[in-house]
Amino acid sequence: MEPRENKMGTMPIPKLLITMSLPMMISMLVQAMYNIVDSIFVAQIDEYALTAVSLAFPIQNLMIAVGSGTGVGINALLSRSLGEKNPEEASRAANNGIFLAALSYLAFCILGLVISRPFFASQTDNQQIVEYGVQYMSVICIFSFGIFMQMTFERLLQATGRTFFTMITQGIGAITNIIMDPILIFGLFGFPKMGVWGAAAATVAGQILAATLALIFNLKKNHDITLQLRGFRPNGRVISIIYKVGVPSIIMMAIGSVMTFGFNKILLQFTTTATAVFGVYFKLNSFAFMPIFGMNNGIIPIIAYNYGARNRERITQALKLGIIIAVCIMCFGLAAFQFIPDKLLLLFNASEHMITIGVPALRIISLSFLFAGYCIVVGSVFQALGSSIYSLWVSLARQLFILLPAAYLLAKLGGLHAVWWSFDIAEIASVIMSTFFLIKIFKEKLADL
């Protein structure tokens, strides 16, 4: 019997993009909320605790890079296989993806046990920050099987068009984190007062619950793939295809960890409070960026499927609509950062010194939002069409070759206030490169469709 037609090849693009993306955008907004709430509660301990969690961000980002980047590879192969009416290949992509997630967990578990203290000691000589940091990083690494399995199982649901279930898993995971944060940090309802340990424990508890739910949904509701542990053997061909798309995406996102680490080192020359401001910025900007990332999770399988089905018109429609939505979302983020930066900082128990540094920082950095939405959506096209290397080159240039050198020079020439302009300089360069590669990929891969 011929497989039934997937909605990604038939449903009108505006309706399809909303159907695929809206649940993910909502769940990503919930994710953004719990990221912020997590730091709000940590900030109630003291500013050192907030700084420690900010300094741990590169490691957390590296975990997300590996899990999400691998997921991009799984997603692209799985969606393309469904578009080509090849369900066996789609199932092979899914099962090998789960195997890769398990290997990723083992690597980060060892990393957390070995390098937590040296990592923080290399950034600051403040022992209180180091102790807080070691506590937080140890827990999130040792129990990172939750985040790797959550991202993988959710990608399988996304790739087959079942994004509603990922909204449920991410939402419940985030709500669990939000509820458990104050309970474990401050010792409510008979629980021990765990401080920073508690913040980390609440985070991994939410991830593990979300992973469990996502697995159940795949087994019960995802009929496009077959998950099978018995008799499984790693398939080198499938793994190589996954990583051909996934590794550039992993490197691209991991570059963010290198950038954050380097930027923190520049800021620490001035004051640890500047590092706390930088950490708060990343939490706050997630309200603008996370919905766009959620939309991307809907766009990637749409474009990959229709590339497999050789339908250029639907690919172009999805791209144009995605860019319009992304730019609109970023304009709302820009307005918030421009008009109420002091109120946003006060959510994190900001001192007068932190507000003095943070208000101009948020206003300057947020100008880059005008360009960022476009670049994010264009990057999803590169990933969906199997050309993640273009996204890698853009990210390398933006974060390592432009942003960090610009930040270093501006710090030397203009002091702390000038450093923040490096984000705007880097984003303008990113727009130019992204547009160049978008034109190139249309000529290379879509001209004959």
Side-chain angles (χ1 to χ4, degrees):
M1 185 176 70
E2 185 177 340
R4 61 186 176 85
E5 183 68 33
N6 191 291
K7 66 181 180 182
M8 287 186 284
T10 58
M11 186 180 289
I13 288 295
K15 182 179 179 181
L16 177 62
L17 186 56
I18 291 171
T19 302
M20 292 283 289
S21 298
L22 188 59
M24 284 305 305
M25 293 171 75
I26 293 171
S27 66
M28 286 291 196
L29 273 173
V30 176
Q31 291 279 314
M33 183 175 70
Y34 100 71
N35 282 336
I36 288 177
V37 171
D38 200 46
S39 291
I40 288 173
F41 284 123
V42 169
Q44 303 306 310
I45 301 173
D46 55 46
E47 192 175 295
Y48 288 154
L50 181 60
T51 301
V53 172
S54 298
L55 292 177
F57 181 76
I59 298 299
Q60 286 183 291
N61 188 65
L62 188 61
M63 266 191 254
I64 294 170
V66 173
S68 182
T70 305
V72 166
I74 298 167
N75 205 336
L77 175 58
L78 203 161
S79 296
R80 187 165 65 248
S81 299
L82 292 177
E84 294 167 349
K85 305 296 186 292
N86 188 349
E88 292 81 10
E89 182 76 348
S91 293
R92 279 192 289 269
N95 287 291
N96 280 273
I98 295 168
F99 169 72
L100 295 176
L103 292 184
S104 299
Y105 159 64
L106 290 175
F108 275 92
C109 180
I110 295 170
L111 193 70
L113 291 169
V114 174
I115 74 155
S116 290
R117 189 169 297 276
F119 175 76
F120 284 94
S122 70
Q123 298 182 82
T124 178
D125 56 5
N126 185 308
Q127 287 306 305
Q128 185 61 71
I129 294 175
V130 171
E131 290 305 319
Y132 281 147
V134 170
Q135 292 171 21
Y136 191 80
M137 182 174 159
S138 297
V139 173
I140 63 170
C141 286
I142 292 170
F143 294 93
S144 61
F145 60 86
I147 190 170
F148 284 113
M149 292 302 170
Q150 177 188 351
M151 285 191 286
T152 301
F153 290 134
E154 286 174 351
R155 283 287 185 175
L156 301 183
L157 293 167
Q158 293 162 17
T160 54
R162 293 170 175 84
T163 52
F164 175 76
F165 295 113
T166 62
M167 180 180 70
I168 295 174
T169 59
Q170 290 195 354
I172 291 178
I175 291 168
T176 299
N177 190 342
I178 291 170
I179 294 172
M180 296 305 295
D181 256 329
I183 293 174
L184 297 181
I185 291 173
F186 306 116
L188 307 179
F189 307 115
F191 282 83
K193 184 178 180 179
M194 299 172 66
V196 173
W197 288 105
T203 296
V204 298
Q207 292 165 351
I208 293 169
L209 178 58
T212 304
L213 288 172
L215 172 60
I216 293 171
F217 284 138
N218 271 292
L219 293 174
K220 300 293 185 181
K221 302 293 184 179
N222 198 347
H223 306 301
D224 287 319
I225 57 174
T226 302
L227 301 183
Q228 191 168 6
L229 183 62
R230 181 178 297 175
F232 169 77
R233 294 290 184 274
N235 186 310
R237 179 187 60 82
V238 171
I239 290 173
S240 68
I241 295 172
I242 289 173
Y243 275 144
K244 182 181 179 182
V245 175
V247 167
S249 184
I250 290 170
I251 296 172
M252 180 182 66
M253 295 181 67
I255 290 166
S257 295
V258 177
M259 183 277 291
T260 306
F261 182 83
F263 207 88
N264 280 333
K265 295 283 282 185
I266 293 170
L267 294 178
L268 285 168
Q269 299 176 58
F270 300 100
T271 170
T272 58
T273 302
T275 306
V277 168
F278 188 45
V280 166
Y281 159 71
F282 269 111
K283 300 294 183 180
L284 290 171
N285 81 8
S286 60
F287 265 114
F289 282 84
M290 293 292 265
I292 299 177
F293 292 144
M295 182 180 67
N296 267 12
N297 289 335
I299 287 178
I300 287 173
I302 292 173
I303 292 177
Y305 182 98
N306 284 285
Y307 181 56
R310 302 186 63 77
N311 193 326
R312 174 179 171 143
E313 182 181 353
R314 289 176 64 81
I315 293 171
T316 305
Q317 280 184 293
L319 170 61
K320 289 179 179 178
L321 184 58
I323 289 173
I324 292 170
I325 294 172
V327 172
C328 290
I329 291 172
M330 279 302 190
C331 285
F332 283 107
L334 173 64
F337 275 60
Q338 291 297 317
F339 295 119
I340 55 169
D342 52 339
K343 293 179 175 60
L344 295 175
L345 289 165
L346 285 171
L347 292 172
F348 299 86
N349 201 28
S351 63
E352 186 175 339
H353 182 47
M354 188 171 173
I355 290 175
T356 301
I357 294 173
V359 167
L362 294 185
R363 283 179 172 154
I364 292 169
I365 298 175
S366 62
L367 294 174
S368 66
F369 289 6
L370 293 169
F371 314 106
Y374 167 83
C375 294
I376 294 170
V377 175
V378 170
S380 72
V381 177
F382 302 155
Q383 295 168 2
L385 298 182
S387 296
S388 292
I389 189 68
Y390 293 156
S391 294
L392 173 59
W393 289 344
V394 172
S395 189
L396 269 172
R398 177 186 173 274
Q399 298 190 80
L400 296 190
F401 301 145
I402 299 173
L403 194 151
L404 276 184
Y408 178 80
L409 290 174
L410 290 170
K412 295 295 184 183
L413 298 174
L416 178 59
H417 179 79
V419 169
W420 312 112
W421 287 101
S422 58
F423 281 88
D424 305 306
I425 295 169
E427 206 62 59
I428 291 171
S430 182
V431 168
I432 296 169
M433 291 188 66
S434 295
T435 302
F436 172 79
F437 287 129
L438 181 62
I439 294 170
K440 182 177 171 63
I441 201 172
F442 261 73
K443 290 179 178 178
E444 289 176 345
K445 296 202 170 185
L446 302 180
D448 298 328
L449 294 188

